[in-house]
C-alpha cells in the first residue's frame, strides 16, 4: 500500500499515493487534503506525508506499520 502525500497543485492541493501517476483527489484547501489523506492512510495502514507549497516535507504521520514505534 502506498504512502499518501499531500502536495500543492497550482492554487489547489492534491492527495497522491506514492508511486502513482495520478492524484487521488484535488481539494481547495490544504486542510481538506490533509483530512482526506489521513482518512485514506488510516484505512490502508500507511504513512501520511504532508508537503509545503515549496514541495518540502513539513510533517509525517504514521497510521500503521511504523518500523520505529515510540516506546511506552
Amino acid at each position: 500500500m502506498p504512502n499518501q502525500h499531500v502536495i500543492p497543485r497550482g492554487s489547489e492541493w492534491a492527495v497522491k499515493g506514492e508511486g502513482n501517476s495520478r492524484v487521488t483527489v484535488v481539494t481547495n484547501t490544504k486542510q481538506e487534503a490533509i483530512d482526506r489523506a489521513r482518512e485514506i492512510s488510516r484505512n490502508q495502514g500507511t504513512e501520511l506525508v504532508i508537503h509545503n507549497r515549496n514541495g518540502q516535507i513539513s510533517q509525517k504521520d504514521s497510521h500503521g506499520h511504523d518500523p520505529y514505534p515510540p516506546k511506552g
Side-chain angles (χ1 to χ4, degrees), residues 4-56:
Q4 297 300 311
H5 290 256
V6 173
I7 57 173
R9 186 170 193 239
S11 64
E12 300 169 314
W13 290 87
V15 177
K16 184 176 177 185
E18 192 170 295
N20 292 349
S21 59
R22 295 183 179 191
V23 297
T24 305
V25 67
V26 176
T27 64
N28 290 322
T29 68
K30 186 176 183 179
Q31 189 57 54
E32 285 177 302
I34 290 169
D35 292 344
R36 288 297 311 264
R38 181 165 280 127
E39 183 180 310
I40 294 167
S41 65
R42 277 189 182 135
N43 289 339
Q44 294 181 344
T46 58
E47 190 166 344
L48 169 61
V49 183
I50 303 168
H51 297 259
N52 288 327
R53 277 258 173 234
N54 65 7
Q56 288 185 323

